[in-house]
């Protein structure tokens, strides 16, 4: 028999446009997860919150080149925290 590889819905997600923001997301994804694990009341929801950042980048692309991709990424992360975890104002 051959090897069967299971696919998940996240495997089919659209790619971020190539550039500094996509590179920064890929490089700092683990740090985003740790950030959300510390902020979330349920640490297992950290992966979902990281996915929310990814989706926000896709839905609301920057209108001009992002000069500070890491800062931009974590500003989005803070917005995600405020929406997902109301006690963080």
């Amino acid at each position: 028999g051959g090897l069967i590889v299971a696919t998940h819905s996240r495997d089919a997600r659209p790619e971020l446009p190539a550039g500094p923001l996509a590179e920064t997301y890929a490089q700092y994804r683990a740090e985003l997860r740790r950030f959300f694990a510390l902020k979330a009341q349920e640490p297992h929801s950290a992966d979902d919150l990281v996915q929310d950042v990814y989706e926000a980048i896709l839905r609301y692309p920057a209108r001009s080149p992002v000069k500070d991709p890491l800062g931009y990424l974590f500003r989005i992360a803070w917005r995600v925290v405020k929406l997902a975890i109301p006690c963080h104002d």
Side-chain angles (χ1 to χ4, degrees), residues 2-53:
L3 178 67
I4 298 174
V5 178
T7 58
H8 301 284
S9 61
R10 289 189 179 184
D11 293 342
R13 70 181 180 191
E15 297 266 331
L16 289 177
L21 191 55
E23 292 167 13
T24 301
Y25 176 86
Q27 182 178 352
Y28 288 94
R29 188 179 184 288
E31 282 82 352
L32 280 173
R33 191 185 184 295
R34 279 194 289 278
F35 170 78
F36 288 130
L38 290 171
K39 300 293 179 194
Q41 294 154 344
E42 299 175 9
H44 65 273
S45 67
D47 288 326
D48 292 334
L49 297 172
V50 171
Q51 182 66 21
D52 289 347
V53 170

